[in-house]
Structures are given as C-alpha cells and as structure tokens.
Coordinates of all heavy atoms in Angstrom, one line a residue:
M861 N 0.8 -1.2 0.0 CA 0.0 0.0 0.0 C 0.9 1.2 0.0 O 2.0 1.2 -0.6 CB -0.9 0.0 1.2 CG -1.9 -1.1 1.4 SD -3.3 -0.9 0.3 CE -3.6 -2.6 0.0
N862 N 0.4 2.2 0.7 CA 1.2 3.5 0.8 C 1.0 4.1 2.2 O 0.1 3.7 2.9 CB 0.9 4.4 -0.3 CG -0.6 4.8 -0.4 OD1 -1.2 4.8 0.6 ND2 -1.1 5.2 -1.5
A863 N 1.7 5.1 2.5 CA 1.6 5.8 3.8 C 0.3 6.5 3.9 O -0.3 6.6 5.0 CB 2.7 6.8 3.9
E864 N -0.3 6.9 2.8 CA -1.6 7.5 2.8 C -2.7 6.6 3.3 O -3.6 7.0 4.1 CB -2.0 8.0 1.4 CG -3.2 8.9 1.3 CD -2.9 10.3 2.0 OE1 -1.8 10.7 2.0 OE2 -3.9 10.9 2.4
F865 N -2.6 5.3 3.0 CA -3.6 4.4 3.4 C -3.6 4.3 5.0 O -4.6 4.3 5.6 CB -3.4 3.0 2.8 CG -4.2 1.9 3.4 CD1 -5.6 1.8 3.1 CD2 -3.7 1.0 4.3 CE1 -6.4 0.8 3.7 CE2 -4.5 0.0 4.9 CZ -5.8 -0.1 4.6
S866 N -2.4 4.1 5.5 CA -2.3 4.0 7.0 C -2.9 5.2 7.7 O -3.6 5.1 8.7 CB -0.8 3.8 7.4 OG -0.3 2.7 6.8
R867 N -2.5 6.4 7.2 CA -3.0 7.6 7.8 C -4.5 7.8 7.7 O -5.2 8.1 8.6 CB -2.3 8.8 7.1 CG -2.6 10.1 7.7 CD -1.8 11.2 7.0 NE -2.3 12.5 7.3 CZ -3.3 13.1 6.6 NH1 -3.9 12.6 5.6 NH2 -3.7 14.3 7.0
T868 N -5.0 7.5 6.5 CA -6.5 7.6 6.3 C -7.2 6.6 7.1 O -8.3 6.9 7.7 CB -6.8 7.4 4.8 OG1 -6.1 8.4 4.0 CG2 -8.3 7.5 4.5
L869 N -6.7 5.4 7.2 CA -7.4 4.3 8.0 C -7.5 4.8 9.4 O -8.6 4.7 10.1 CB -6.6 3.0 7.9 CG -7.2 1.8 8.5 CD1 -8.6 1.5 7.9 CD2 -6.3 0.6 8.4
S870 N -6.5 5.3 10.0 CA -6.5 5.8 11.4 C -7.4 7.0 11.6 O -8.2 7.0 12.5 CB -5.0 6.1 11.8 OG -5.0 6.6 13.1
L871 N -7.3 7.9 10.7 CA -8.2 9.1 10.8 C -9.6 8.8 10.7 O -10.5 9.4 11.4 CB -7.8 10.2 9.7 CG -6.4 10.9 9.9 CD1 -6.1 11.8 8.8 CD2 -6.5 11.7 11.2
L872 N -10.0 7.9 9.7 CA -11.4 7.6 9.6 C -12.0 6.9 10.9 O -13.1 7.3 11.4 CB -11.6 6.6 8.5 CG -11.6 7.1 7.1 CD1 -11.6 6.0 6.0 CD2 -12.8 8.0 6.8
R873 N -11.2 6.1 11.5 CA -11.6 5.4 12.7 C -11.8 6.4 13.8 O -12.8 6.5 14.6 CB -10.6 4.3 13.1 CG -11.0 3.6 14.4 CD -10.0 2.6 14.8 NE -8.6 3.2 15.0 CZ -8.3 3.9 16.1 NH1 -9.1 4.2 17.0 NH2 -7.0 4.4 16.1
Q874 N -10.8 7.3 14.0 CA -10.8 8.4 15.0 C -12.0 9.3 14.8 O -12.7 9.7 15.8 CB -9.5 9.1 15.1 CG -8.4 8.2 15.6 CD -7.0 8.9 15.4 OE1 -6.9 10.1 15.4 NE2 -6.0 8.1 15.4
E875 N -12.2 9.7 13.6 CA -13.3 10.7 13.3 C -14.7 10.1 13.6 O -15.6 10.8 14.0 CB -13.3 11.0 11.8 CG -12.2 12.0 11.4 CD -12.2 12.2 9.9 OE1 -13.0 11.6 9.1 OE2 -11.3 12.9 9.4
R876 N -14.8 8.8 13.5 CA -16.1 8.1 13.8 C -16.2 7.7 15.3 O -17.2 7.2 15.7 CB -16.3 6.9 12.9 CG -16.7 7.4 11.5 CD -16.5 6.3 10.5 NE -17.0 6.7 9.2 CZ -16.4 7.6 8.4 NH1 -15.4 8.3 8.7 NH2 -17.0 7.8 7.2
G877 N -15.1 8.0 16.1 CA -15.1 7.7 17.5 C -15.2 6.2 17.8 O -15.8 5.8 18.8
V878 N -14.5 5.4 17.0 CA -14.5 4.0 17.2 C -13.1 3.6 17.7 O -12.1 4.0 17.2 CB -14.8 3.3 15.8 CG1 -14.7 1.8 16.0 CG2 -16.1 3.7 15.3
S879 N -13.1 2.7 18.7 CA -11.8 2.2 19.2 C -11.2 1.2 18.2 O -11.9 0.6 17.4 CB -12.0 1.5 20.6 OG -12.7 0.3 20.4
Q880 N -9.9 1.0 18.4 CA -9.3 0.0 17.5 C -9.9 -1.3 17.8 O -10.1 -2.1 16.8 CB -7.8 0.0 17.8 CG -6.9 0.9 17.1 CD -5.5 0.7 17.2 OE1 -5.0 0.0 18.1 NE2 -4.7 1.3 16.3
R881 N -10.2 -1.7 19.0 CA -10.7 -3.0 19.3 C -12.1 -3.2 18.7 O -12.4 -4.2 18.1 CB -10.9 -3.1 20.8 CG -11.4 -4.5 21.3 CD -11.4 -4.6 22.8 NE -10.0 -4.2 23.3 CZ -9.3 -5.0 24.0 NH1 -9.8 -6.1 24.5 NH2 -8.1 -4.6 24.4
T882 N -12.9 -2.2 18.7 CA -14.3 -2.3 18.1 C -14.1 -2.4 16.6 O -14.8 -3.2 15.9 CB -15.1 -1.0 18.4 OG1 -15.2 -1.0 19.9 CG2 -16.5 -1.1 17.8
A883 N -13.3 -1.5 16.0 CA -13.1 -1.6 14.5 C -12.5 -2.9 14.1 O -13.0 -3.5 13.1 CB -12.2 -0.4 14.1
A884 N -11.5 -3.4 14.8 CA -10.9 -4.7 14.5 C -11.9 -5.8 14.5 O -12.0 -6.6 13.6 CB -9.8 -4.9 15.4
G885 N -12.8 -5.8 15.5 CA -13.8 -6.8 15.6 C -14.8 -6.8 14.5 O -15.1 -7.8 13.9
A886 N -15.2 -5.6 14.1 CA -16.1 -5.5 13.0 C -15.5 -5.9 11.6 O -16.1 -6.3 10.7 CB -16.6 -4.0 12.9
L887 N -14.1 -5.7 11.6 CA -13.4 -6.0 10.3 C -12.9 -7.4 10.3 O -12.3 -7.9 9.3 CB -12.3 -5.0 10.1 CG -12.7 -3.6 9.9 CD1 -11.5 -2.6 10.0 CD2 -13.4 -3.4 8.5
G888 N -13.1 -8.2 11.4 CA -12.7 -9.5 11.5 C -11.2 -9.8 11.6 O -10.7 -10.8 11.2
I889 N -10.5 -8.8 12.3 CA -9.0 -9.0 12.5 C -8.8 -8.7 14.0 O -9.6 -8.2 14.7 CB -8.2 -8.1 11.6 CG1 -8.5 -6.6 11.8 CG2 -8.4 -8.5 10.1 CD1 -7.5 -5.7 11.2
S890 N -7.5 -8.9 14.4 CA -7.2 -8.6 15.8 C -6.9 -7.1 15.9 O -6.5 -6.4 14.9 CB -6.0 -9.4 16.3 OG -4.8 -9.0 15.6
Q891 N -7.0 -6.6 17.1 CA -6.6 -5.2 17.4 C -5.2 -4.9 17.1 O -4.8 -3.9 16.5 CB -6.9 -4.8 18.9 CG -6.7 -3.4 19.2 CD -5.3 -3.1 19.7 OE1 -4.7 -4.0 20.4 NE2 -4.7 -2.0 19.4
A892 N -4.3 -5.9 17.4 CA -2.9 -5.7 17.1 C -2.6 -5.6 15.6 O -1.8 -4.8 15.2 CB -2.1 -6.9 17.7
L893 N -3.3 -6.4 14.8 CA -3.1 -6.3 13.3 C -3.6 -5.0 12.8 O -3.0 -4.3 12.0 CB -3.8 -7.5 12.6 CG -3.6 -7.6 11.1 CD1 -2.1 -7.6 10.8 CD2 -4.3 -8.8 10.6
L894 N -4.7 -4.5 13.3 CA -5.3 -3.2 12.9 C -4.3 -2.1 13.2 O -4.0 -1.2 12.4 CB -6.6 -2.9 13.5 CG -7.2 -1.6 13.1 CD1 -7.4 -1.4 11.6 CD2 -8.6 -1.4 13.8
S895 N -3.7 -2.2 14.4 CA -2.7 -1.2 14.8 C -1.5 -1.3 13.9 O -1.0 -0.2 13.5 CB -2.2 -1.6 16.2 OG -1.1 -0.7 16.6
H896 N -1.1 -2.4 13.4 CA 0.0 -2.5 12.5 C -0.3 -1.9 11.1 O 0.5 -1.2 10.5 CB 0.4 -4.0 12.3 CG 1.2 -4.6 13.4 ND1 1.4 -5.9 13.6 CD2 1.8 -4.0 14.5 CE1 2.1 -6.1 14.7 NE2 2.3 -4.9 15.3
Y897 N -1.6 -2.1 10.7 CA -2.0 -1.5 9.4 C -2.0 0.1 9.6 O -1.6 0.8 8.7 CB -3.4 -1.9 9.1 CG -3.5 -3.4 8.6 CD1 -4.7 -4.1 8.7 CD2 -2.4 -4.1 8.1 CE1 -4.8 -5.4 8.3 CE2 -2.5 -5.4 7.7 CZ -3.7 -6.0 7.8 OH -3.8 -7.3 7.3
E898 N -2.5 0.6 10.7 CA -2.7 2.0 10.9 C -1.3 2.7 11.1 O -1.1 3.8 10.8 CB -3.5 2.3 12.1 CG -5.0 2.0 11.9 CD -5.9 2.5 13.1 OE1 -5.3 3.0 14.1 OE2 -7.1 2.3 13.0
N899 N -0.3 1.9 11.6 CA 1.0 2.5 11.8 C 2.0 2.2 10.6 O 3.2 2.5 10.7 CB 1.6 2.0 13.1 CG 0.9 2.6 14.3 OD1 0.8 3.8 14.4 ND2 0.4 1.7 15.1
G900 N 1.5 1.5 9.6 CA 2.3 1.3 8.4 C 3.3 0.2 8.6 O 4.2 0.1 7.8
I901 N 3.2 -0.6 9.6 CA 4.1 -1.7 9.9 C 3.9 -2.9 9.0 O 4.8 -3.5 8.5 CB 4.0 -2.2 11.4 CG1 4.4 -1.0 12.3 CG2 4.9 -3.4 11.6 CD1 4.1 -1.2 13.7
R902 N 2.6 -3.2 8.7 CA 2.2 -4.3 7.8 C 1.3 -3.7 6.7 O 0.6 -2.7 6.9 CB 1.5 -5.4 8.6 CG 2.4 -6.0 9.6 CD 2.1 -7.4 10.0 NE 1.7 -8.3 8.9 CZ 1.0 -9.4 9.2 NH1 0.6 -9.7 10.4 NH2 0.6 -10.2 8.2
E903 N 1.3 -4.4 5.6 CA 0.4 -4.1 4.5 C -0.8 -5.1 4.4 O -0.6 -6.3 4.6 CB 1.1 -4.1 3.1 CG 2.1 -3.0 3.0 CD 2.8 -2.9 1.6 OE1 2.4 -3.7 0.8 OE2 3.6 -2.0 1.4
C904 N -2.0 -4.6 4.1 CA -3.1 -5.4 4.1 C -3.3 -5.9 2.6 O -2.7 -5.4 1.7 CB -4.4 -4.7 4.5 SG -4.9 -3.4 3.4
G905 N -4.2 -6.9 2.5 CA -4.6 -7.4 1.2 C -5.8 -6.7 0.6 O -6.4 -5.9 1.3
L906 N -6.1 -7.0 -0.6 CA -7.2 -6.4 -1.3 C -8.5 -6.6 -0.5 O -9.4 -5.7 -0.4 CB -7.3 -6.9 -2.7 CG -8.4 -6.3 -3.6 CD1 -8.2 -4.8 -3.7 CD2 -8.3 -6.9 -5.0
G907 N -8.8 -7.8 0.0 CA -10.0 -8.1 0.6 C -10.2 -7.2 1.9 O -11.4 -6.8 2.1
F908 N -9.2 -7.0 2.6 CA -9.3 -6.1 3.8 C -9.6 -4.7 3.4 O -10.4 -4.0 4.0 CB -8.0 -6.2 4.7 CG -8.1 -5.4 5.9 CD1 -8.9 -5.8 7.0 CD2 -7.5 -4.1 6.0 CE1 -9.0 -5.0 8.1 CE2 -7.6 -3.4 7.1 CZ -8.4 -3.8 8.2
L909 N -8.9 -4.3 2.3 CA -9.2 -2.9 1.8 C -10.6 -2.7 1.5 O -11.2 -1.7 1.8 CB -8.3 -2.7 0.5 CG -8.5 -1.3 -0.2 CD1 -7.9 -0.2 0.7 CD2 -7.7 -1.3 -1.5
V910 N -11.2 -3.7 0.8 CA -12.7 -3.6 0.5 C -13.5 -3.6 1.7 O -14.5 -2.8 1.8 CB -13.0 -4.7 -0.5 CG1 -14.5 -4.8 -0.7 CG2 -12.3 -4.6 -1.8
K911 N -13.2 -4.4 2.7 CA -13.9 -4.4 4.0 C -13.9 -3.1 4.6 O -14.9 -2.6 5.2 CB -13.4 -5.5 4.9 CG -13.8 -6.9 4.7 CD -13.3 -7.8 5.8 CE -13.7 -9.2 5.7 NZ -13.2 -10.0 6.8
C912 N -12.7 -2.5 4.6 CA -12.6 -1.1 5.3 C -13.4 -0.1 4.5 O -14.1 0.7 5.2 CB -11.1 -0.7 5.2 SG -10.1 -1.5 6.4
A913 N -13.4 -0.2 3.2 CA -14.2 0.8 2.4 C -15.7 0.7 2.8 O -16.4 1.7 3.0 CB -13.9 0.6 0.9
D914 N -16.1 -0.6 2.9 CA -17.5 -0.8 3.2 C -17.8 -0.4 4.6 O -18.9 0.3 4.9 CB -17.9 -2.3 3.1 CG -17.9 -2.8 1.6 OD1 -18.0 -1.9 0.7 OD2 -17.9 -4.0 1.4
F915 N -17.0 -0.7 5.6 CA -17.2 -0.4 7.0 C -17.2 1.1 7.2 O -18.1 1.6 8.0 CB -16.0 -1.0 7.8 CG -16.2 -0.7 9.3 CD1 -17.1 -1.3 10.1 CD2 -15.3 0.1 9.9 CE1 -17.2 -1.1 11.4 CE2 -15.4 0.4 11.3 CZ -16.3 -0.2 12.0
Y916 N -16.4 1.9 6.6 CA -16.3 3.3 6.7 C -17.2 4.1 5.7 O -17.3 5.3 5.8 CB -14.9 3.8 6.7 CG -14.1 3.4 7.9 CD1 -13.0 2.5 7.8 CD2 -14.4 3.8 9.2 CE1 -12.3 2.1 8.9 CE2 -13.7 3.4 10.3 CZ -12.6 2.5 10.2 OH -12.0 2.1 11.3
G917 N -17.7 3.4 4.8 CA -18.6 4.1 3.8 C -17.8 5.0 2.8 O -18.3 6.0 2.5
V918 N -16.6 4.6 2.5 CA -15.8 5.4 1.5 C -15.4 4.4 0.4 O -15.6 3.2 0.4 CB -14.6 6.0 2.2 CG1 -15.0 7.0 3.3 CG2 -13.7 4.9 2.8
S919 N -14.8 5.0 -0.6 CA -14.3 4.2 -1.8 C -12.9 3.7 -1.5 O -12.2 4.3 -0.6 CB -14.3 5.0 -3.1 OG -13.3 6.0 -3.0
C920 N -12.5 2.6 -2.2 CA -11.1 2.1 -2.1 C -10.1 3.2 -2.5 O -9.1 3.4 -2.0 CB -10.9 0.9 -2.8 SG -11.8 -0.5 -2.1
D921 N -10.5 4.0 -3.6 CA -9.7 5.0 -4.0 C -9.4 6.1 -2.9 O -8.3 6.6 -2.8 CB -10.3 5.7 -5.2 CG -10.1 5.0 -6.5 OD1 -9.2 4.1 -6.6 OD2 -10.8 5.3 -7.5
Y922 N -10.5 6.4 -2.2 CA -10.3 7.3 -1.1 C -9.3 6.8 0.0 O -8.4 7.5 0.4 CB -11.7 7.6 -0.4 CG -11.6 8.6 0.7 CD1 -11.5 10.0 0.5 CD2 -11.5 8.2 2.0 CE1 -11.4 10.9 1.5 CE2 -11.4 9.1 3.1 CZ -11.3 10.4 2.8 OH -11.2 11.3 3.8
L923 N -9.5 5.5 0.3 CA -8.6 4.9 1.3 C -7.1 5.0 0.8 O -6.2 5.1 1.6 CB -9.0 3.5 1.6 CG -10.2 3.3 2.5 CD1 -10.6 1.8 2.6 CD2 -9.8 3.8 3.9
L924 N -6.9 4.9 -0.5 CA -5.6 4.8 -1.0 C -5.0 6.2 -1.4 O -3.9 6.4 -1.9 CB -5.5 4.0 -2.2 CG -5.8 2.5 -2.0 CD1 -5.9 1.7 -3.3 CD2 -4.7 1.9 -1.1
G925 N -5.9 7.3 -1.1 CA -5.4 8.6 -1.4 C -5.5 9.0 -2.8 O -4.8 9.9 -3.2
R926 N -6.3 8.4 -3.6 CA -6.4 8.6 -5.0 C -7.6 9.5 -5.4 O -7.8 9.8 -6.5 CB -6.5 7.3 -5.8 CG -5.3 6.5 -5.6 CD -5.4 5.1 -6.3 NE -5.9 5.3 -7.7 CZ -5.2 5.3 -8.8 NH1 -3.9 5.1 -8.7 NH2 -5.7 5.4 -10.0
S927 N -8.4 10.0 -4.4 CA -9.5 10.9 -4.7 C -9.7 11.9 -3.7 O -9.1 11.8 -2.6 CB -10.8 10.1 -4.9 OG -11.1 9.4 -3.7

C-alpha cells in the first residue's frame, strides 16, 4: 500500500469515534493487526481494503489517497 492508506485508515476510525478494538472486531481481525496497518508496519490485502471501504462508507480510491 502506501503511507496515505495508514494515515487515512487511522483518521477515519478516530473521526467516527470507534476504538481500535471495536473496529478490528467489525473487520474480522485482531486489534494488534489493525494497529500494524494503521502504523504502516504491515500491508493489508485487497479483501481487507474492500472491507474497510464498506465499513467506513468510503471508496477504495479514497482509502488509497487517489481521490
């Protein structure tokens, strides 16, 4: 992915007032893995990107900083 994805993922969660634990549960991953995605330590797959877009109600392009 890119640094924009990590930043956007974290900001969307914070703007909606959702904890990492809650968001991770809704997205079907552990809180630790979500933390790694938000901090740019690990890269997610396409399936997770789509889940995030659906969960936050945004496009994949938005998550990737393309719009």
Side-chain angles (χ1 to χ4, degrees):
M861 297 285 147
N862 59 27
E864 190 69 27
F865 172 74
S866 298
R867 183 175 167 275
T868 302
L869 186 62
S870 180
L871 287 174
L872 282 171
R873 182 183 56 75
Q874 292 171 22
E875 286 174 359
R876 285 161 174 72
V878 178
S879 70
Q880 274 189 341
R881 184 174 305 235
T882 301
L887 294 167
I889 61 170
S890 70
Q891 182 270 325
L893 184 55
L894 180 58
S895 177
H896 286 167
Y897 290 157
E898 288 186 359
N899 291 306
I901 296 168
R902 296 208 36 204
E903 291 187 359
C904 71
L906 181 58
F908 182 76
L909 177 68
V910 173
K911 276 186 181 181
C912 286
D914 290 342
F915 180 71
Y916 290 115
V918 297
S919 69
C920 290
D921 280 343
Y922 180 83
L923 283 172
L924 295 172
R926 295 178 47 101
S927 62

